[in-house]
Amino acid sequence: MSGPAGEEPSAAAGAAGATGGEPSVMGEPSAAGRFGDFGGRFVPESLVLACEELEEAFRSAWADPEFHRELDDILRDYAGRPTPVTECPRLSERLGIRILLKREDLTHTGSHKINNVMGQALLARRMGKGRLIAETGAGQHGVATATAAAYFGMECVVYMGAVDTERQELNVFRMELLGAEVIPVHSGSRTLKDAVNEALRAWVARVGDSHYCLGSVMGPHPYPWMVRELQRVVGTEARAQCRAILGGADPDWVVACVGGGSNAAGTFSGFVDTDAILVGVEAAGGAAMSHGVPGVVHGMMSYLLQDEVGQINEAHSISAGLDYPGLGPEHAHLSAIGRARYATADDEEVLRAFKLLSETEGIIPALEPAHALAWVVRHAGNEIPLGSTVMITMSGRGDKDVAQVRELLT
Ligand SMILES: *Cc1c(COP(=O)(O)O)cnc(C)c1O
């Protein structure tokens, strides 16, 4: 093992619920919820108790084999796990590097988000809570949470910026179809960051019967840790599947797109103790890690898109799912210690990658993971040496994006 991860005992051991001692890379955060300088719990007193109660409940559930058994059954029988790792022979030939895809696009609802929401809903039920609160930007996490609520027979309330409810009418309808109530948020810029604030407020107001099902590896402790653990299944499966395909070897590169960072965190957790180079790819117009500054938002210390007077800037890209103005604190830490690299892809190369994968492999990707592919395409044969093996997490399928891409290409 190379790099700063080398001095750590074992990422896997740290993940299972070790207490005290030095936090391992992608193991548990510190008691204060810190990943190095990042993370923490920057919330008003009224939210501290809710976060503490949630942390305790998750800690106990995650150490309980019965909880894992039940979650694994749900992920297998309802969500469609395990998802395969697919070789891409034609694309590989074109690029001169060997491409493997981890197929989260094949899950029920079509993205990795299902792993997080089914885990949190199961946890909510264990906590005796029958109501889920969620924030959503483009609507994908709202739809996923509404799906989980329907599965568990729970009430579901989704906060969504008023600008987004107009832009994403179809997803509003989907959520309502699934039995959820969608509440448009009219404060601030009336987009995702305001929806998160509103959802946090709504949680405090009804913490007795409600669980806040946060959508990525962000927010106050324990969310970044808990959501990464719920997405760990992506990396754990992929690690074993790659080894089976590669005769016991690991990929040279592991690449995933980063919005808040949950599919990347889940993927990286499976490979952090290998020699693989880990790369997180942000949208050029929403690159909190690449173009942001450290700061506090939504209860965490991380990198943010912020102007000179500390106002959060909005993220803009072709892909609404990557338009979060910050990213998870653990990514800020992985970058700081040099264990993962963060890069960007712009709209134009993303569109080309979207077409390329569709034509060469018969897989229409979501625009989010098309960012990861676009970065790989740009670097194949230069930074990524010819003959390398690259695993990319295909975080979701492209059906939701086809109409938009059609407009952009014609
Ligand atoms: C929501 C979403 C993302 C971005 O979220 P992360 O937390 O960064 O994983 C990426 N890909 C797809 C398909 C999504 O739906």
Side-chain angles (χ1 to χ4, degrees), residues 160-305:
M160 186 171 189
V163 170
D164 293 326
T165 55
E166 272 168 39
R167 282 195 290 218
Q168 305 285 343
E169 276 176 298
L170 200 57
N171 274 339
V172 173
F173 179 66
R174 272 195 191 98
M175 289 182 257
E176 289 171 350
L177 206 52
L178 291 159
E181 182 190 356
V182 179
I183 300 183
V185 174
H186 294 281
S187 55
S189 56
R190 303 181 296 146
T191 57
L192 175 58
K193 77 172 165 55
D194 313 292
V196 175
N197 288 328
E198 211 50 46
L200 282 165
R201 231 169 271 146
W203 186 32
V204 186
R206 286 191 59 171
V207 72
D209 71 344
S210 303
H211 169 69
Y212 177 22
C213 183
L214 211 158
S216 192
V217 285
M218 43 168 250
H221 182 54
Y223 284 103
W225 169 52
M226 177 173 74
V227 176
R228 179 251 281 163
E229 285 303 289
L230 293 172
Q231 293 292 0
R232 177 179 285 274
V233 63
V234 177
T236 303
E237 283 178 12
R239 165 85 168 264
Q241 291 164 320
C242 285
R243 288 198 159 179
I245 293 168
L246 302 173
D250 298 308
D252 303 307
W253 299 70
V254 171
V255 185
C257 64
V258 173
S262 68
N263 85 88
T267 303
F268 291 176
S269 68
F271 294 92
V272 71
D273 60 342
T274 73
D275 287 333
I277 300 169
L278 310 177
V279 184
V281 184
E282 300 181 287
M289 194 67 246
S290 305
H291 304 141
V293 293
V296 172
V297 73
H298 297 149
M300 64 182 179
M301 166 69 75
S302 191
Y303 272 78
L304 322 168
L305 294 175

Side-chain angles (χ1 to χ4, degrees), residues 71-85:
L71 180 57
D72 290 350
D73 285 353
I74 292 168
L75 291 179
R76 185 191 61 225
D77 301 336
Y78 184 70
R81 304 210 71 87
T83 60
V85 164

